[in-house]
Amino acid sequence: MKSGPATRRLFHVALSCVFALCAAPLQGYAQANADPAQLQNSGIARIDHWLNNVRTTGDPASTRNELAAAQIELQASYLLFSQRQEPARAAWSAIKLGDIQRYLNQWARAVSEYQVALQLAELANRPDYQTKALSELAFSEMNAGSMDAAADHVAEAVRLGANCGNDAFYFDALDTAAELETKRGNLTAAGDYFNRALAIKDRITDKQQLYLAYANGGDIYYQDARGCDARQDPDVCNQLLQLARDNYRKAKAIAQEAGYGYLASAMQNFLGDADTLAGTIQNEQKHNQTLAAMSMFNPTQPKDVLVTEDFAPGALNAQTVAAMENLVRQMQDWLARMQQQGLTVRNLNPDDVWIQGSLAEMKGESNAALPKYRQAVELLEQDRRNLRDPQARSAFMEDKIGYYYSPALILLGQKRYAEAFALFEESRSRAMADMLVSRPLNLGSTKERTLFSDLQSQRTAIAALQGKLFNLTGAADRDQNGKQIADLEAQIAGLQEKYRLLEARIAREAPKLNELTSSKPVTLDSVQRAAAQGRYDVLYYVVTETNVILWHIGGADVEVKKIFLPHAVLAAKAAALHDSLVAPRDSPDAAFNDDVSRQLYLYLVQPVATFIKSRHLLIIPQDELTSIPFQALENPVDGKYVGESLDISYAPSATVLATLETKPNLKNGRLLAVADPEIHDASEEVNAIGALYPGRSKVAAQEQASKADIQTWVGGFDLIHLSVHGKFNPSDPLLSYLQFKPGPSDDGRLTAAEMFGLPLRNNSLVVLSACETGKAQATHSGELVGMVRSLLYAGADTLVLSSWEVNAESTKLWMETFYREGQTREPAEAARLALIAVKSNPAFRHPFFWAPFALTGK
């Protein structure tokens, strides 16, 4: 695969030679009363000559003396302009000095030069030079690993650039913003900036700027296509690749017209990469279809499932091995050429280190591969820790979990379970765990909660519009949607300005909200101790392309199994089970797909069933497994469902689980129970529950409560029960909502984004007796985006939420039983008894009625 888009500025080579600035030449210029403008123009001309040579030939060494001379001339012009108190001209010299350091790959020095240039531009009141300095400062910080600083500076560059009077500088700012968001994994935001740049392309005369923009635009769509997997629509994948090709072709045509042979050949290589990826995706899709049709993946008894403890990678075909060896050869040849020319690369690339580890592993040298893999992981962790925004951390990890899996599987093969578990856990739900660890530091007051909730809501609204824009601009009929695209861009720009002002207010009034610490993943030993103390067994799942890795973690023992179940087959079975579970919503007589339920039991539970010692099973799923209600999996041996035999609860990761407090006190807690009186049986449900808490409850069922009421009331109770309408938004999960009474200035929707700011008590239980409240967007890196994430951050430690649209009558029975049994039993056991009570009613035998509610927590 290609390296990241930041490396696409091909003339930013890694020159190791640092040209010393001698005092004598500078003094000579001053004593000779040299013209600083002439020195500046001469220095810039030398830079341009070097750039044109690199763009044409790809050779940075033959004309490197031009950069040395340019640096001396520009430094002299900078000093002379400073002496004459001409800050604008001095700023331009400083910008060009920063450019030289940028071309030399000396990112820290470039940052220093651009910071000086920015100060001078501000002193000169030159918003155009400020825009330019900020844009290049952000690009240098991005390559130096300071992603948050880069994000702040490029946002300011875009804001200033819109009215700075220089279209070229504004275009650069938008292009840098697009490249930064691509590197952070936020491709919809990258697409937004790219399209805003294209909107002014006709006013850009510098062919190099247009070349870079189209190259980066191609990267956006290419990176998105790389994320295609078994769940993706093939037509969408192909469309993304076609958009990538279109942009690469435009960049190639620009390079050819300008006579930049080297850059044109580079674009041809990128087009080849796109064609290769298209073939790979097509072959994988055909392979997945073949696998899904194979009878071997329809087991009826335990012996039909292939379970092993051999974690060695499968044999690779000769073509794959040859391709990997070729990649390593290319990298080694390139490094050798750099050394021959006196050039070096200072920044280690995780991709390159990982490839070296992969090649060693393919040769059977696992002990040599392991340190390379670990080095790649540490490089990624350094980059991840440099991001302060949880969404950025989540997006950054989305396509990188394979880096963690490679060494983990070697360690599993060597029975080094603790080290392997640490790597798996390091790759999972890290952004969510970081947020929960940071929570006690941040939300100390009502004001801070409100500001944080507003920040999440603004960010979610921007992301939703950017998603719409990304889809429109990538559609075949883009040209017919010009007005709609322009309107969306204007709306996004307006919201981004509001977001900037809100961030500025937070920096002044609640700076702690900008602090995001890094969670330390829990150890296998600590998970075992917690399981022993909590009297539960953990089933921990890792989904790979060909297998499911199943961990059983008990208080006294650990077992790890590899189950042969290709990802595509798992995805198909999970989808079939879900469709069967929700079918009665539209067809009351629909039958449940017992076959798939039994098959998934045989794959996901049976291989470790004999090791389960307790009655409480805590599930830590991943990928499609997050959509499977394990309580609805049937044991083909005795015909019982898991939810009948075992108490079931869930957690996104072991580290997130460790941040949650002990189980809530259902018997002695204080209850807030709110119902929408228009929902059938809702008022009766909350009144019955409230009767279990005499003198310790507030029941609101006579009239619909408002969102403001809920935000005011919840802080006084540790048991929150809301029986209202809910709606999941699959496109933007943080826009999922609970519906309350509309007010004069709001629609009554309490969104998942707003729930971040709810003043929930610690160790509280939140029960949402509503439709789809437990649905979430599950990412490859184990992040859950939806109400689960929001409510845990707001202070809840235990959740009871629904996975689909529920039936009012069966829900009433489930809830009343849950609270009644909870007076003497723990929540997970109370949930099991509630399930049995509903299932025992002949009218509710289908799992649609008794399996929708899942308990998150201990």
Side-chain angles (χ1 to χ4, degrees), residues 405 424 428 540-544 547-551 622 625:
Y405 288 6
F424 283 130
R428 179 174 296 195
Y540 184 99
Y541 295 88
V542 178
V543 178
T544 72
N547 303 289
V548 172
I549 310 298
L550 170 54
W551 295 67
Q622 188 193 24
L625 299 182

Side-chain angles (χ1 to χ4, degrees), residues 583-597:
R585 177 186 59 196
D586 301 317
S587 304
D589 297 329
F592 179 57
N593 193 333
D594 296 300
D595 289 341
V596 173
S597 172

Side-chain angles (χ1 to χ4, degrees), residues 722-788:
L722 305 177
S723 183
V724 297
H725 285 296
K727 187 65 177 177
F728 177 69
N729 187 324
S731 300
D732 301 286
L734 288 179
L735 292 181
S736 304
Y737 63 88
L738 297 177
Q739 183 65 58
F740 295 98
K741 182 174 67 177
S745 59
D746 72 82
D747 55 10
R749 294 179 177 181
L750 179 64
T751 67
E754 292 173 311
M755 291 177 192
F756 279 104
L758 286 176
L760 297 177
R761 288 185 176 184
N762 288 336
N763 196 30
S764 58
L765 165 72
V766 176
V767 179
L768 301 184
S769 180
C771 296
E772 302 183 313
T773 52
K775 291 184 73 173
Q777 183 185 74
T779 70
H780 290 298
S781 56
E783 302 291 350
L784 291 180
V785 184
M787 294 185 191
V788 172

Side-chain angles (χ1 to χ4, degrees), residues 465-678:
L465 291 179
Q466 287 175 331
K468 292 180 182 178
L469 181 63
F470 191 82
N471 292 332
L472 274 177
T473 54
D477 59 350
R478 169 186 174 140
D479 293 340
Q480 300 174 23
N481 297 316
K483 185 179 185 305
Q484 191 175 357
I485 289 172
D487 290 344
L488 280 172
E489 289 174 342
Q491 291 178 55
I492 291 169
L495 285 175
Q496 286 176 331
E497 177 61 14
K498 290 181 180 179
Y499 185 80
R500 184 189 70 81
L501 294 173
L502 182 58
E503 281 194 312
R505 181 185 172 193
I506 287 172
R508 293 192 308 271
E509 301 177 12
K512 288 190 299 181
L513 292 180
N514 286 326
E515 298 174 6
L516 182 63
T517 61
S518 290
S519 59
K520 184 177 181 181
V522 295
T523 65
L524 181 59
D525 182 62
S526 67
V527 176
Q528 282 193 267
R529 289 197 305 271
Q533 294 168 2
R535 301 187 302 279
Y536 56 75
D537 288 80
V538 175
L539 296 190
Y540 184 99
Y541 295 88
V542 178
V543 178
T544 72
E545 283 304 306
T546 54
N547 303 289
V548 172
I549 310 298
L550 170 54
W551 295 67
H552 166 264
I553 305 172
D557 53 3
V558 174
E559 291 78 29
V560 191
K561 306 293 182 182
K562 183 175 79 174
I563 298 121
F564 181 43
L565 181 62
H567 192 178
V569 178
L570 172 61
K573 291 188 181 298
L577 183 72
H578 177 268
D579 291 346
S580 176
L581 284 165
V582 301
R585 177 186 59 196
D586 301 317
S587 304
D589 297 329
F592 179 57
N593 193 333
D594 296 300
D595 289 341
V596 173
S597 172
R598 297 186 190 110
Q599 290 166 13
L600 286 170
Y601 177 90
L602 290 171
Y603 279 120
L604 303 177
V605 180
Q606 183 275 329
V608 295
T610 58
F611 302 110
I612 298 172
K613 302 296 192 300
S614 71
R615 289 291 301 271
H616 183 181
L617 200 58
L618 203 153
I619 308 290
I620 302 179
Q622 188 193 24
D623 271 344
E624 286 79 9
L625 299 182
T626 60
S627 69
I628 294 176
F630 278 69
Q631 58 269 26
L633 303 187
E634 182 183 356
N635 184 344
V637 175
D638 59 15
K640 286 189 175 182
Y641 291 93
V642 175
E644 295 179 279
S645 306
L646 297 170
D647 307 336
I648 306 292
S649 63
Y650 299 85
S653 74
T655 303
V656 169
L657 180 68
T659 67
L660 307 180
E661 300 295 333
T662 56
K663 301 155 187 173
N665 190 334
L666 275 171
K667 180 179 180 180
N668 299 315
R670 288 176 51 79
L671 171 73
L672 170 66
V674 177
D676 182 343
E678 295 183 1

Side-chain angles (χ1 to χ4, degrees), residues 158 170 174 191-200 489 492-493 496:
V158 169
Y170 181 43
L174 292 167
D192 169 32
Y193 286 118
F194 172 61
N195 282 289
R196 286 161 68 179
L198 288 188
I200 61 171
E489 289 174 342
I492 291 169
Q496 286 176 331

Side-chain angles (χ1 to χ4, degrees), residues 211-230:
Y211 167 86
L212 288 174
Y214 282 117
N216 290 334
D219 281 334
I220 294 169
Y221 295 114
Y222 181 89
Q223 296 298 330
D224 207 0
R226 283 184 64 184
C228 285
D229 58 20

